[in-house]
Amino acid sequence: MAGPIPMALGPFMFHAHGFGYTELERTLETQWATLETAGRMDAQQWTGPGSETIRINGVLFPQEFGGQTTLDGVRLAARQGVPLMLVSIGGRVFGSHTIQGVEETQSLHNRIGMPAQNEYSIELLAYPDSFFNVIGAVASIF
């Protein structure tokens, strides 16, 4: 009972049921240098993009809908250190990202120790992939 797939991180598909997510947070940092000027306010000069992070939060119900195996796969991919492509079902390409961390909070364990609920958070950092950076730069102009 997986349901529609709204987003994928490399080979890992987020489903409406199972390995689903409840929240997606994005943070973009930009770099500006302050330049002192005589007789007026200091000027600013953009020195380029900084970093972009994405945090995906979700709740699994492994006994009811599954999804724990996929989360374990994400954790394994994080250990291998391979950038993964993040894409939404609507065709939006977020580009390559590295997995910076995976957090889990398991609760409501049954008598053999399996959690009925597992809240998780995956932190991603944009990976400088030259092809998608060029596409994104060109798209932002138009």
Side-chain angles (χ1 to χ4, degrees):
M1 180 176 357
I5 301 171
M7 190 168 62
L9 175 62
F12 307 106
M13 307 294 171
F14 292 89
H15 296 274
H17 303 291
F19 186 60
Y21 67 95
T22 56
E23 221 173 33
L24 186 135
E25 302 171 23
R26 293 178 68 194
T27 304
L28 174 66
E29 293 181 9
T30 59
Q31 307 294 323
W32 291 84
T34 301
L35 307 169
E36 291 184 18
T37 56
R40 56 187 175 134
M41 293 181 68
D42 291 344
Q44 292 186 32
Q45 179 179 359
W46 186 64
T47 60
S51 62
E52 182 175 13
T53 58
I54 294 180
R55 187 173 201 75
I56 301 169
N57 300 312
V59 179
L60 302 178
F61 299 96
Q63 295 175 26
E64 284 293 318
F65 302 112
Q68 185 63 47
T69 305
T70 305
L71 184 58
D72 292 340
V74 170
R75 184 179 292 283
L76 180 62
R79 286 188 180 131
Q80 293 176 346
V82 177
L84 299 172
M85 186 67 62
L86 182 63
V87 180
S88 73
I89 193 68
R92 180 158 189 202
V93 178
F94 290 96
S96 294
H97 288 74
T98 56
I99 301 171
Q100 298 295 303
V102 179
E103 297 177 15
E104 295 180 61
T105 303
Q106 298 179 355
S107 59
L108 306 172
H109 294 81
N110 65 14
R111 60 189 170 123
I112 61 170
M114 296 201 49
Q117 179 176 313
N118 187 356
E119 296 179 35
Y120 72 89
S121 181
I122 302 169
E123 187 170 337
L124 306 173
L125 182 64
Y127 184 76
D129 185 3
S130 60
F131 174 74
F132 287 104
N133 284 344
V134 169
I135 296 291
V138 170
S140 69
I141 294 171
F142 297 104

